[in-house]
Amino acid sequence: MGAGHGHGHGVTSGAGKHRWRLAVAFGLVAAFFVVELSVGIVSGSLALISDAGHMAADVVALGAALLATKIAARPDTTGRRSYGSYRAEIFASGLTVLLMLGVSAYVVIEAVSRIGEDVEVQTGPVLVVGFIGLAINVVSILLLRSGAKESLNIKGAYFEVVADAAGSVGVMIAALLIIVTGDTYWDTLVALAIGLFVAVRAVTLGRQVLAVLGQHIPEGLDIDAVATELAGVPGVGDVHDLHAWSLTSGMNVATAHLVLSPGADSQSVLLEAQRLLRSDHGIEHATLQVEDEPTKHCEEVTW
C-alpha cells in the first residue's frame, strides 16, 4: 500500500512569499546593532544600550524567522510529517516572544538599579545613532508591513522592528531632555519605558502563538456560522464533529462529518461543502466525511 497523500510538498506559506523582505531587514538590523551597541557603551547611555539589546533580539528573531520560512517550504523526505514543516514559522514566532520578554526584563532590572545614580551620558552620539536607527527601522517596517498581515512569523519580526522604532524615538527624546534639563535620569526613565513597551508587544504576540499551537479556532472564523452554512448545503441533513484550526498563518484546516438527506448525491454534497469552506471562509484544506446516518463510532466518541 502506498503512503497517504501528505502536505509537506513545498507549498509556499504566507511568510515564504516575503522571504526576501525578511532577508533585507535582517541585513540592515544586524549591521546597525554593532554600531548602536558600540556607541551605547562609549556614550554611557542605558537607553541606547537597552535599544541595542533589543536590536540583538531582533537579529536573532529575524534570523530565526528567515530560517523558518526556508524549513517550512522544504519538502518532507521522511514520510513522517504529513502536514509538512509549516509549524516551524510558529515556533520561530514563539522564540521571538521569549527574546522580547528577556530583553524587556533585562532593561527594566538595569533601569531600576540605576535609579538614584549619577550617570554621565554623551548626548551627541546618542542623538545621531538614534536617528540612524529610526531610519533603518522605518525601512524595515515598510518591508515587513504587508507580510505581517499574512504571516504570524513575519508579524513577530514586524513587532520587533516596530518596538525598535519606538526605542529609537525614545533614545532621541532622552538625549534631547538631557540637553534641555541637564538631568541624566531621563535616560533611565526612557529605558524603563522601552522595556515595558517591548513586554506588552511580546505578550500580544505570545497569545496569538499559543492560540495556533493550542489549535484554537482561527481568528475571525465563526465556527457556529460555518456549521449553519454547511447544514444549509443542499442534501445535508446534519453536521457534527466540526473542527477548525490553523496549521500556520494563512493555512486554515477543518474537518467535519456531513449526514446526508435521503436521496442526496454524496459527491455533489462534498464538492459544494468544500467550495463553501474554501470561498467563504478561506479554508482550502477540509477533510469531510459524508455519511447516510451518524455512525456508531461517532456516537461513542467521548471527546
Side-chain angles (χ1 to χ4, degrees), residues 1-6 79:
M1 178 181 293
H5 175 67

Side-chain angles (χ1 to χ4, degrees), residues 7 226 229-231 233-234 236 239 242 252-256 258 265-290:
H7 299 274
V226 173
E229 291 177 29
L230 285 174
V233 171
V236 174
V239 177
L242 172 61
N252 295 337
V253 181
T255 62
L258 308 178
D265 178 68
S266 60
Q267 188 64 19
S268 298
V269 168
L270 181 62
L271 291 175
E272 176 58 21
Q274 289 176 330
R275 184 208 62 77
L276 184 150
L277 292 173
R278 181 175 58 255
S279 61
D280 295 357
H281 300 286
I283 301 174
E284 294 190 12
H285 182 73
T287 302
L288 304 176
Q289 178 172 313
V290 179

Side-chain angles (χ1 to χ4, degrees), residues 7 85 127 149 153 157 181 204 217 230 276 284:
H7 299 274
S85 300
L127 270 174
K149 299 175 183 178
N153 183 28
T181 66
T204 299
I217 295 170
L230 285 174
L276 184 150
E284 294 190 12

Side-chain angles (χ1 to χ4, degrees), residues 13-272:
S13 63
K17 294 186 294 183
H18 302 277
R19 186 178 298 129
W20 71 271
R21 298 175 184 271
L22 276 172
V24 173
F26 173 78
L28 289 172
V29 171
F32 182 71
F33 158 69
V34 178
V35 175
E36 185 171 39
L37 180 61
S38 300
V39 177
I41 293 173
V42 171
S43 67
S45 170
L46 178 60
L48 203 56
I49 293 174
S50 69
D51 197 45
H54 187 211
M55 191 74 79
D58 281 3
V59 173
V60 177
L62 286 166
L66 191 59
L67 179 61
T69 61
K70 184 69 174 179
I71 294 174
R74 187 173 58 191
D76 174 32
T77 57
T78 67
R80 297 186 59 81
R81 301 186 185 96
S82 61
Y83 272 118
S85 300
Y86 299 116
R87 277 278 166 92
E89 297 178 0
I90 303 302
F91 293 136
S93 299
L95 174 61
T96 299
V97 170
L98 294 177
L99 289 170
M100 292 175 75
L101 289 174
V103 169
S104 175
Y106 167 77
V107 170
V108 170
I109 292 172
E110 186 66 19
V112 171
S113 70
R114 272 198 178 192
I115 293 177
E117 293 184 4
D118 185 17
V119 181
E120 183 179 349
V121 178
Q122 299 177 28
T123 55
V126 173
L127 270 174
V128 173
V129 172
F131 179 78
I132 295 173
L134 178 61
I136 288 177
N137 286 318
V138 168
V139 171
S140 298
I141 286 172
L142 294 175
L143 283 170
L144 300 176
R145 182 171 57 185
S146 59
K149 299 175 183 178
E150 301 178 24
S151 165
L152 197 58
N153 183 28
I154 293 185
K155 179 180 282 189
Y158 177 77
F159 272 9
E160 279 278 342
V161 174
V162 168
D164 261 341
S168 295
V169 172
V171 163
M172 290 189 291
I173 290 175
L176 290 172
L177 287 172
I178 292 172
I179 292 172
V180 173
T181 66
D183 295 321
T184 58
Y185 66 77
W186 288 110
D187 183 75
T188 301
L189 290 177
V190 168
L192 184 61
I194 292 172
L196 294 175
F197 176 76
V198 171
V200 171
R201 303 296 277 185
V203 171
T204 299
L205 179 62
R207 292 179 62 182
Q208 294 175 305
V209 169
L210 290 176
V212 174
L213 294 179
Q215 293 185 289
H216 295 183
I217 295 170
E219 185 176 355
L221 182 68
D222 186 340
I223 197 69
D224 292 328
V226 173
T228 299
E229 291 177 29
L230 285 174
V233 171
V236 174
D238 187 32
V239 177
H240 62 96
D241 285 346
L242 172 61
H243 304 280
W245 67 98
S246 293
L247 183 60
T248 187
S249 303
M251 290 186 176
N252 295 337
V253 181
T255 62
H257 290 196
L258 308 178
V259 181
L260 297 177
S261 302
D265 178 68
S266 60
Q267 188 64 19
S268 298
V269 168
L270 181 62
L271 291 175
E272 176 58 21

